[in-house]
Amino acid sequence: MSDTAGTRLTNTAHAYAECSNKGLCDRKTGECECLSGYDGAACNRASCPSKRTSANSQVSKGLSSNIQSPVKKGMRSSFIGRSNHSPLKDICSKHGTCESIAELAALDGNNRYDLWDHDVSMACKCDPGYGGPDCAERQCLHGIDPLYTDDVTARVTHTTVSFETTGNAVLSGEYALKFYDTYGEDYITDALPLDGTGVIGGDDHCDYVVAAFKALPNSVVPDIECTQTVIDTDRGFEYTLAFIGNPGILKEIEVIEHLDGARSTILDSTDNHPFDDGQITIGLYTKVNGESDDYFPTRCEGITVKVLADSADGDDSWNADVRPGSIGYLTGPDADLTAAEAKILKRCLSDSDWDSDNNVEVANWDKGFVVEADGAGPTTYNMIGAFPHGIKVVPKETTTGYSKFSYGQYYLVWYDETATAGKEFRVANLHDGNNLRSEAVESYVYTTTGIVQQLGYGNEADQEIADNASAG
């Protein structure tokens, strides 16, 4: 906005105005009559969908989305609006709450939204089992497409829980677990008994946990796997749960240690000290996050690979090609990738930055590297670029312990033609330190049409990484 002299003005986009320029003032009552879609004493925030404003014909059936204005008795005002004399009805279809965009961001993994409209843009937060902009749509149960597990393993949530005592203390007592389904609805299991050995009455603790989850209402956990290990004979144990019957992203389960008022029911049986006295440590972490969407759907047919750390077998010291973003490499299951296999992998990786003009070679692909220079001379070398390739590797069916729920692992890959022969497909991250083919798992490669962008490196302001050049 500019003044009459042509001077550009700042901070004028959201000036103060009567009824926020989204309504008319009733001069008799001093109250604002808001345009449909706006709410608040000064019409200063958006409305959430209701029976009067919903675009869903079933919700608003039989009701006008606007009402007669009280600004001029018995007459319509100059616009069709809604007065504060008549509040909205059945906001969010009675199946949700009206929240600001800042509140919704906080509820979504404690994200933060601080733009100018953080308290004025509103939307519905639907109750579990309901969806849509006005929470009028019922949602059905989720399941894993059987055709999906014919082609790839399903990535479901794996969560590890551990109980460990200090010194000679022996674990006892009981606790419960709180489970959240994909809609966010929570369920609490029956009490689970504790013993430092992880065995009670001849049954593993896992048996009790599995039975407790399967006993939850409405078969909310239809199937689950559990494996456990003991910590130092009788000082505790840990177990890992695989929610194989609950696909999608799940909120982390919770350990409930207070089953009898404020006093913890997880005890050190040596002197019946409760968990709160620091003698007992409870661990809880999500080992694998489940997926609601598969962004790596395409298998690279014709090859399998192993991911190796580029280090010496004897002392695990790094080899010559290692530098930041280049700590491992892809190799064949029994030998280096052949020239034919390398061509297949290049075609599968294809474009990494949605810019086909800088693709190279017959394979029509991006190498994903950038050339760096260092010192006098200078010395040049290849490094991971702004757009490396993202891949997922999934164990081959013949792998020991394989199941359709054997989760895949994600890697960033780029190509360094100056690296040692057989190690040109560089890997920027590792999940283990395996540096021998006999240690690594033979896996399929799955690729994505999405892109991964590395924005910079180091701590200097000018260290933005250049885009892919014509050389890849």
Side-chain angles (χ1 to χ4, degrees), residues 86-158:
S86 181
L88 298 174
K89 297 179 65 177
D90 296 350
I91 295 175
C92 300
S93 308
K94 293 185 177 181
H95 295 300
T97 56
C98 187
E99 309 285 352
S100 70
I101 191 171
E103 292 168 329
L104 292 172
L107 292 169
D108 184 19
N110 292 320
N111 288 316
R112 186 170 179 174
Y113 185 91
D114 281 334
L115 298 182
W116 68 269
D117 63 336
H118 63 281
D119 285 331
V120 298
S121 290
M122 313 293 288
C124 291
K125 180 184 181 301
C126 299
D127 294 335
Y130 290 86
D134 52 7
C135 303
E137 301 173 357
R138 289 301 304 265
Q139 294 184 331
C140 295
L141 296 176
H142 290 66
I144 298 175
D145 185 344
L147 296 180
Y148 176 72
T149 52
D150 279 350
D151 299 325
V152 64
T153 58
R155 192 177 178 92
V156 296
T157 300
H158 292 63

Side-chain angles (χ1 to χ4, degrees), residues 246-286:
N246 297 87
I249 300 173
L250 301 178
K251 182 178 178 180
E252 190 170 71
I253 63 173
E254 297 177 13
V255 175
I256 302 176
E257 69 269 14
H258 297 91
L259 302 183
D260 185 18
R263 186 174 185 271
S264 175
T265 52
I266 299 177
L267 305 173
D268 159 12
S269 62
T270 302
D271 50 12
N272 279 333
H273 282 175
F275 159 69
D276 311 75
D277 70 356
Q279 298 272 351
I280 303 169
T281 301
I282 299 177
L284 174 67
Y285 67 94
T286 298

Side-chain angles (χ1 to χ4, degrees), residues 153-212:
T153 58
R155 192 177 178 92
V156 296
T157 300
H158 292 63
T159 304
T160 297
V161 182
S162 65
F163 299 91
E164 185 175 3
T165 59
T166 60
N168 296 320
V170 178
L171 189 67
S172 66
E174 59 183 9
Y175 72 104
L177 293 171
K178 180 183 285 189
F179 171 78
Y180 296 87
D181 63 16
T182 51
Y183 309 120
E185 187 72 80
D186 62 272
Y187 303 81
I188 299 176
T189 67
D190 291 335
L192 297 164
L194 282 169
D195 186 277
T197 64
V199 178
I200 300 174
D203 293 324
D204 286 344
H205 189 77
C206 266
D207 297 331
Y208 288 88
V209 175
V210 169

